[in-house]
Amino acid sequence: MKNFKIKHFINYALVGALLIFGVIMHFTGSLRPSTAQLFAQIGYGIILAVSLNLVVGFLGELSLGHAGFMCVGAYIGGLFAVMLKQSGLDMKLPVLIIAMIVGGLFAALFGFIIGLPSLRLKGDYLAIVTLAFGEIVRNIFMNQKVFGGAKGLTTGSLIYDTRQSPTLFIVVFIVAIIMLALVQNLVRSKHGRAITAIRDNEIAAKAMGINVTFYKLFVFIVAAFFAGCAGVIYAHTTTPVLYSFFSYNYSIEILVMVVLGGMGSITGSIISAVFITAINFMLQSQLSGDLASLKNVVYAVILVIVVIFSNAPALKSFRERYSISAFFERFRKHDASKRRDDEAKWARVPSKIKMDALLSTDMAPDSDASIHGDISANDKGGSK
Amino acid sequence: MSEVMLRTENLGISFGGLKAAQDVNLTINKGDLYGLIGPNGAGKTTVFNLLTGVYQPTTGKFFLDGEELTGKKQEIINRKGIARTFQNIRLFNNMTVISNVMVALNNLPEYKCSPFASMFRLPKHFETEKKMRDRAKELLDIFGLKEERNTLACNLPYGKQRKLEIARAMATNPKLLLLDEPAAGMNPNETAELMNTIRFVRDNFDMTILLIEHDMKLVGGICEKVTVLNFGQELAKGNTAEVLNDPRVITAYIGEDE
Ligand SMILES: Nc1ncnc2c1ncn2[C@@H]1O[C@H](COP(=O)(O)OP(=O)(O)OP(=O)(O)O)[C@@H](O)[C@H]1O
Ligand SMILES: [Mg+2]
C-alpha cells in the first residue's frame, strides 16, 4: 500500500516541481518569454503523452493519429475562444477553460468515431486507420474558410503575454495535474483493472463479462478529450494555428514519448515528454539558418542513442544500476510479496505434451498400466 | 424429475467444410456434474466456444435455465450465468491474483460504479472498491489462494493457476460452470486436489458443472453422466460407468485396429 502512494506522489511532484520552478522564475523576473513558451510546450506535451499512454500502454492499441485529436481541439477550441473574445468576453482564464471544454468535447466525439474501428481491427490495421484519420482531419480543417484555410487560424488575440499574471504555463501545468489525477484515478479503479485485463487477455476478459466495446470506446474518448484540451492550449501559444503542425510526424513524436517512457508508465511519459520537448526546443533555438535542417538529424541521433541505452543487452548492468526505473524500484523493494515465488521450484508444463503422455496410457478405460497406479477409469472407489 | 439447467438443440458449427460440431443435444440438470469427453479434435472445446458465444452456431439453439442464449454476445452470456475456464490457461498474467478475481466481479450489478465516479473519486468509488476487494478476498480464502493474493498470476505454480481460473470463473456468479481440461498437465497429487475442489464447488455453491477431461480417473471419479463426442458428433451418452464400458467408445479412443 505504501509504495502505491510514493509512486503516486512522484507524478504530481514532477509536474508540481516544474510548476514551482517556473513560478519562482516568473516572480523573480528571470523568466524569458521563450522559456515561458517552453514551459507551456512541456505542459501540453505531458498531457498528450499521458493521454496517448492510456490508449497504447493501458489498452494496448496502437494509435498513430493522436495529433489529429489535438488538431480538432486546436481549431475548434481556438475558433470558439476567438469568437468568445470578439463577443466581448475579455477574461483570459474563463475563455481558456470554456474553449478547452468545447475543444475537448469535439475531439472526444472524434475519439468515439475512431474508436469504432478499434472494435474490429487489431494491431497494424488499426494503426493505419488512425494514421489516415490524422491526415484526413487536418486536411479537412485546411479546406475550411472559417478556420482560415491554408493560411491557418489566426489566434493572435488569445496569446498570453509573459508579463501577465498568471501566465499561460501556470494554467497549463494546473490542467496537466488535474488530468494526471483523473487518469490515475481511472487506472487505479475497477475500470482500470478491466482495461488492463483487456490488454492482457482480451478473450479471457470477454469471457469474464467485461464489456470490451464499452471500455475500448471509453479509453479512446477520454484520450481524445485530453488531446483536444492540449490542442486548445496550443492555440493559445501559437498563431496562426496551422494544419501542417499536426502531421504524422507529430503523432509519432508523441508516440516516441510514450514508448521511451515505457508503455503503461505515467511517470515515464511525464519524464520523456519533458525530455523530448526540451531537446526539440533547444535544437530549434540553437540551430539557425542552414543548420536548422540539421535539427531532425540531431534529434534522431539522440533518440537512437536513448533507445540503444534503454534496450541494448550489453548495457544491462549499467542500466540496472543507473536507470530511472531502477531508482524508483528502490521505493518498491519492501513489497517483496510481488516476486516472492521461487520460479525455479516448479516447471510450467506445456499442457499438450503432458496430455499426450497421459493419453497413451490413461485413455483406454481398461488399461492397467495407468499413470495413476492401480486406479482404472471406471473405478469410482478410486476417487478420494 | 429435476429441473434442466442447460439444454442444447441440434447445436452445430462448421468451419468451411469441416463440421467441428454437429447435432449436439445436451441436457444437463441443475446440480449435475457432467462430463464431455472424446478423442483429440472431437469438437469438445468447440462446444464450449459455442456455449460461451465465442463462436455463433451455424445450426441449433441452446437454453440456459429456460432462457435462449443463442447468438448473444460473450459478456451477455457470462452475465446470464455461463462462466468458463480455458484449455490453455488464460489468466491476466500481468495482474495480481486478487486483481484477476476483481476483474471478474466488474460486470456484476452489485459492484456497479460509473467511470466518472472513479475518476472524480466520489464516495461510490470507495464503497464499490471496498466491497469488491472484500468479496475477492472471500473467494480467494475459499479456494485457498489468500496467501498468494498479491503475487502476479504468472508467478503462481501451475496447479494454483488452474485453481485461480476456477475461482475467477466462480467470481462472475454463474449458474453453469464450464471447465475445459482442468487437470491437463497436473501430477496425480494436483489432480486429486482438483477433484476435491470441483466437488467442493458443486456442493458449496450449488453449481452445475460441465467439464471436458481426458483423465478418465477424474471423469470416472466425479462425473455422474457423460457425453462422448467423436468427429463432432455424439457417440454415446448416459451414466459414466456404462458409457465408459461401451465398446464403441473404447474403439473411438483406441482406434479401429485394436
Ligand atoms: N476456429 C476454427 N477454425 C477452423 N477449425 C477449427 C476452429 N476451431 C476448431 N477447429 C477444428 O475443429 C475441430 C475440433 O476442435 P476442438 O478444439 O473443439 O477439439 P477438442 O475436442 O477440444 O480437442 P482437444 O482434446 O485436442 O482439445 C478440430 O479439427 C479443429 O481443428
Ligand atoms: Mg479442447
Side-chain angles (χ1 to χ4, degrees), chain A residues 238-285:
Chain A
T238 314
T239 181
V241 172
L242 256 187
Y243 75 100
S244 56
F245 177 78
F246 308 100
S247 68
Y248 164 71
N249 282 333
Y250 195 63
S251 289
I252 295 292
E253 195 171 309
I254 306 167
L255 186 66
V256 167
M257 292 176 189
V258 173
V259 175
L260 211 58
M263 304 273 205
S265 162
I266 292 176
T267 313
S269 288
I270 296 171
I271 293 172
S272 65
V274 174
F275 174 75
I276 286 180
T277 313
I279 287 185
N280 262 331
F281 186 83
M282 279 191 285
L283 289 174
Q284 226 147 29
S285 55

Side-chain angles (χ1 to χ4, degrees), chain A residues 185 190-191 200 207 209 363 378, chain B residues 78 94 107 111 214 245 253:
Chain A
N185 287 349
K190 60 174 276 197
H191 308 290
D200 249 22
M363 287 314 263
N378 338 337
Chain B
N78 177 269
N94 299 311
N107 200 25
Y111 309 109
H214 281 302
N245 284 320
Y253 268 107

